Amino acid sequence: MKTSKALSSTAQSLTKKLSLYFNAIALLIGILVFALSQAGLYWLEDEINKRNLQQTADFAIDRFQQGASSPLTIGPNILAYDSTESLPKQFQQLSQYPMGYNDEITDEIAHDLFFYHASFDFEGDTKPLFLTMEAETVELSSDEWRYINFASLAIMILLYLAFDFAISKLSKRLVQPVNQLSQQLKSAQRETNFSVPEGSALEFTELSNSLNKYRNQNEILIKQEQSFAKYASHELRTPLTVIQGATKLLDKSADPEFQLRQRDRIAKAATDMQHTIEALLSLVKQEQTRENSTSRKLTEKEIKLILEEVSPLAKYKHLKVELKLIAEPEIQPSPPVLRMLLINLLQNAINASDSGVITVEVWESCIKVVDQGRGLNDSEQSKDGHGLGLLIVDALCERYEWQLMLTSGKESGCIAKLAFPNKDETEIS
């Protein structure tokens, strides 16, 4: 049950919970601040009056020492007495308070009266000093306290509303990018890029950019997979068609020479299919580390066998295929993989040429297929423009850490270069 409730929470509900949480905190803080401010005002009012009364004592003592009579009126609110007898009858019990007492009296002796008890020397004797001040005349009235409380409450309410507005805007601003990204993920329109509102936090912008990057990578991988499937289907269907056709032809003629030709066609198609399957399976082998650790020498005989496979197509287009073997390099791909790599490059060169010579150059650090055809256009120079055959070449090159480079010839045509890893390449004209 807890898991289902957690999963059912949405960005909108989280925003409401966050707003409610901070509103509760703001309300509690407001109540505490209001209570503390009221207590502080009461304490400050009493403290000011007590200090005023204590500071008046020196003036009263000086006057009594000069012969002033008791009671002595000081200012509009303070009365000074120099003996117990001079105290009014209702304040006689004030003499019982200890020496140095200075506070507001709120009992039945004297209600709401500030009282200060001290002493002073007069002609060699110690005489008491009593200072009294009516609290009602120096303290704020009930109406004044009411106005202060009303103003304090109004200010607290305004601050609470402002805080609530700020928290609401902030929480929405924090949750809105997540909500927008969620809606975009659910949307059926895949062409629209992920985006967040302007002014969002940097992390949300980086998240949307990462989502766009990953989606683009997925789309590229999907297209590559679809192209790969089409190419593999084509490469496997062609020999199957040859085998099926040759098998049907075997039943139509008893001529031994004719049947021998058909059996040769079947054998060649089966071999081509086997090579294609081995090359394609090499892309998904789990034994990559073991296979990459072994290498073999590329011989002239192996390359000539590959050239013989494309010679019928070259002769049909009146093209000449030449081999320049400068070195016999050490390579890792198996013969079926190398066959698929070179046949794809040679078929592309033949299809792009109407006349001239196609040259296969084998160097210690690379293999080049040079043609004199129509050359490269802008789309063919990008990976998306390689076509199905070169897509397989790209995948195989990545598998063996080779590098495929397509460049235009000096005058015409195209140069397809397979560079080997960990080799110092030499620029060849």
Side-chain angles (χ1 to χ4, degrees):
M1 293 296 293
K2 291 182 179 179
T3 304
S4 61
K5 288 183 179 179
L7 291 175
S8 63
S9 298
T10 62
Q12 192 69 21
S13 64
L14 289 177
T15 303
K16 292 180 180 179
K17 289 179 182 179
L18 186 65
S19 179
L20 182 63
Y21 174 75
F22 280 105
N23 283 336
I25 294 178
L27 184 61
L28 179 61
I29 293 175
I31 294 174
L32 290 176
V33 171
F34 179 76
L36 291 175
S37 64
Q38 293 297 304
L41 286 175
Y42 278 112
W43 174 85
L44 182 62
E45 183 183 44
D46 291 345
E47 189 68 19
I48 291 175
N49 289 326
K50 288 190 294 182
R51 292 188 180 185
N52 184 31
L53 198 62
Q54 186 177 7
Q55 292 172 358
T56 308
D58 293 337
F59 177 78
I61 291 172
D62 185 63
R63 292 293 305 274
F64 281 131
Q65 289 176 344
Q66 293 179 7
S69 59
S70 178
L72 175 65
T73 302
I74 303 175
N77 304 314
I78 301 176
L79 292 175
Y81 304 91
D82 61 354
S83 65
T84 305
E85 293 78 12
S86 62
L87 284 171
K89 185 177 180 179
Q90 67 272 22
F91 295 156
Q92 285 294 319
Q93 296 182 12
L94 293 178
S95 60
Q96 300 176 3
Y97 282 86
M99 188 68 64
Y101 181 86
N102 184 15
D103 204 350
E104 183 179 7
I105 301 174
T106 57
D107 56 18
E108 62 276 1
I109 298 176
H111 186 66
D112 290 340
L113 179 73
F114 283 97
F115 175 69
Y116 177 62
H117 186 192
S119 63
F120 66 96
D121 294 331
F122 182 73
E123 296 179 354
D125 296 331
T126 300
K127 299 189 67 174
L129 175 66
F130 306 103
L131 297 177
T132 62
M133 182 170 59
E134 293 289 340
E136 292 183 357
T137 60
V138 293
E139 289 184 333
L140 296 175
S141 64
S142 299
D143 291 339
E144 290 172 333
W145 274 112
R146 193 177 298 112
Y147 294 146
I148 290 176
N149 291 338
F150 177 78
S152 299
L153 285 173
I155 293 174
M156 295 302 299
I157 291 173
L158 289 175
L159 290 176
Y160 172 79
L161 294 176
F163 183 78
D164 178 65
F165 176 78
I167 289 298
S168 177
K169 295 292 288 185
L170 180 60
S171 60
K172 288 182 179 178
R173 187 171 182 178
L174 289 174
V175 177
Q176 187 179 5
V178 179
N179 190 32
Q180 183 168 322
L181 289 175
S182 175
Q183 295 297 327
Q184 291 171 354
L185 284 170
K186 295 177 182 178
S187 175
Q189 298 180 356
R190 301 299 181 185
E191 297 180 356
T192 305
N193 289 334
F194 292 104
S195 61
V196 293
E198 187 177 354
S200 299
L202 178 62
E203 289 76 8
F204 292 122
T205 304
E206 293 176 346
L207 176 60
S208 64
N209 293 336
S210 298
L211 288 173
N212 288 324
K213 178 182 177 182
Y214 293 143
R215 186 170 69 176
N216 292 335
Q217 290 178 348
N218 287 336
E219 290 176 353
I220 291 174
L221 291 175
I222 290 172
K223 291 179 180 178
Q224 288 180 346
E225 183 179 355
Q226 292 173 346
S227 300
F228 182 87
K230 291 179 182 178
Y231 176 82
S233 175
H234 172 74
E235 290 294 315
L236 294 176
R237 285 178 185 274
T238 300
L240 280 175
T241 302
V242 173
I243 292 173
Q244 291 174 347
T247 303
K248 292 179 181 179
L249 291 175
L250 285 174
D251 298 332
K252 293 184 178 182
S253 176
D255 184 9
E257 184 178 354
F258 177 79
Q259 290 186 346
L260 180 61
R261 287 200 305 269
Q262 302 309 315
R263 284 196 296 269
D264 290 342
R265 290 182 62 197
I266 292 174
K268 184 179 182 300
T271 303
D272 292 344
M273 180 181 291
Q274 182 180 0
H275 290 166
T276 301
I277 291 174
E278 290 181 8
L280 295 178
L281 288 179
S282 70
L283 293 174
V284 293
K285 279 184 179 179
Q286 299 297 323
E287 303 173 336
Q288 179 175 351
T289 303
R290 181 180 62 81
E291 185 177 275
N292 282 351
S293 63
T294 61
S295 61
R296 64 185 185 86
K297 186 178 289 292
L298 177 58
T299 63
E300 182 179 3
K301 179 180 178 182
E302 182 178 346
I303 298 177
K304 286 184 175 181
L305 290 176
I306 296 173
L307 297 182
E308 288 179 1
E309 294 190 38
V310 298
S311 59
L313 179 61
K315 289 179 180 179
Y316 176 77
K317 298 194 67 175
H318 306 289
L319 297 171
K320 185 178 180 181
V321 180
E322 293 182 350
L323 172 62
K324 290 184 179 180
L325 188 66
I326 292 89
E328 292 185 346
E330 294 286 334
I331 62 172
Q332 293 175 351
S334 62
V337 173
L338 182 65
R339 170 188 171 275
M340 177 169 284
L341 287 171
L342 290 182
I343 283 183
N344 274 290
L345 297 182
L346 288 168
Q347 286 178 346
N348 284 341
I350 293 171
N351 292 330
S353 303
D354 297 322
S355 62
V357 180
I358 296 175
T359 305
V360 178
E361 300 178 1
V362 181
W363 300 81
E364 188 65 31
S365 59
C366 65
I367 299 176
K368 289 185 176 183
V369 177
V370 183
D371 65 65
Q372 299 174 351
R374 296 182 293 272
L376 296 174
N377 55 38
D378 293 338
S379 64
E380 289 171 339
Q381 292 182 22
S382 66
K383 183 170 288 188
D384 295 338
H386 285 175
L388 297 179
L390 291 186
L391 180 65
I392 300 298
V393 174
D394 284 333
L396 290 172
C397 286
E398 184 178 356
R399 166 71 169 79
Y400 292 96
E401 297 182 356
W402 286 17
Q403 187 177 6
L404 171 64
M405 292 177 285
L406 298 178
T407 57
S408 298
K410 291 183 178 180
E411 298 180 359
S412 64
C414 169
I415 301 174
K417 179 179 179 182
L418 292 173
F420 309 150
N422 303 323
K423 296 289 183 181
D424 296 330
E425 293 192 11
T426 305
E427 186 65 22
I428 306 154
S429 59

